[in-house]
Amino acid sequence: MIHMVKLCVGVSSLEELESYRDERAHWWGADYGEDVHVHRTRMMPKRGAEMEGIASVYWVIAGAIVCRQPILRLAKYTDAEGKDYCDIIMSRDMIRTVPYPKRPFQGWRYLRPEDAPPDISANENADSLELAADLAKLGLI
């Protein structure tokens, strides 16, 4: 298994990313059902078979990995001009992770499971999450 890490360009918070869940698939004319979140990227991952149904996309927002979304499947998409893309079809669930600083990069990168930040449990309080995010920005965690 291998995960994917991706910059969430133009999004400043997890709440803003959550607001796009219902719209994204329809922006591109894709219809994979109502219970998914779709992100279109240019290249199909060579290690896609290691991701479908078992891995996650770890989202980098404002310089830190802050959440992940389970990957349900990858689908090839070809536009009207014949250009190929990869639609990453993900669960709508956004699972918060311990904030982990990540420098900018283009496209996406593979992320080994042992390098992925752990999930934050639902019973952690908001103050500890905010403190963890601040420490991550300072490069202390």
Side-chain angles (χ1 to χ4, degrees):
M1 173 179 59
I2 193 83
H3 296 293
M4 178 185 286
V5 63
K6 183 119 181 66
L7 291 179
C8 204
V9 178
V11 172
S12 60
S13 69
L14 176 59
E15 293 73 26
E16 188 177 347
L17 177 61
E18 288 175 326
S19 74
Y20 290 132
R21 278 189 295 210
D22 299 329
E23 303 169 23
R24 283 215 112 126
H26 306 293
W27 290 350
W28 294 310
D31 187 10
Y32 298 107
E34 296 300 319
D35 293 333
V36 297
H37 182 188
V38 178
H39 181 79
R40 183 165 292 158
T41 189
R42 183 70 178 97
M43 302 299 290
M44 179 70 76
K46 289 181 178 22
R47 298 178 70 179
E50 296 177 61
M51 295 178 176
E52 291 184 302
I54 54 175
S56 292
V57 172
Y58 283 78
W59 290 108
V60 178
I61 300 174
I65 296 173
V66 297
C67 70
R68 67 180 181 89
Q69 282 184 276
I71 297 172
L72 303 174
R73 64 188 173 98
L74 303 172
K76 182 179 175 184
Y77 177 84
T78 305
D79 70 9
E81 286 119 32
K83 193 180 247 187
D84 290 333
Y85 295 90
C86 173
D87 282 354
I88 305 167
I89 302 147
M90 299 168 284
S91 166
R92 291 174 45 86
D93 299 331
M94 294 194 184
I95 302 158
R96 289 182 182 266
T97 65
V98 171
Y100 185 81
K102 191 74 174 164
R103 291 180 182 259
F105 57 89
Q106 287 193 334
W108 48 264
R109 299 287 183 266
Y110 291 118
L111 180 66
R112 298 180 313 178
E114 60 269 22
D115 296 333
D119 294 348
I120 293 176
S121 67
N123 59 3
E124 302 228 16
N125 77 34
D127 291 337
S128 67
L129 298 178
E130 194 172 313
L131 178 61
D134 291 341
L135 291 173
K137 286 179 184 173
L138 294 170
L140 298 174
I141 60 169

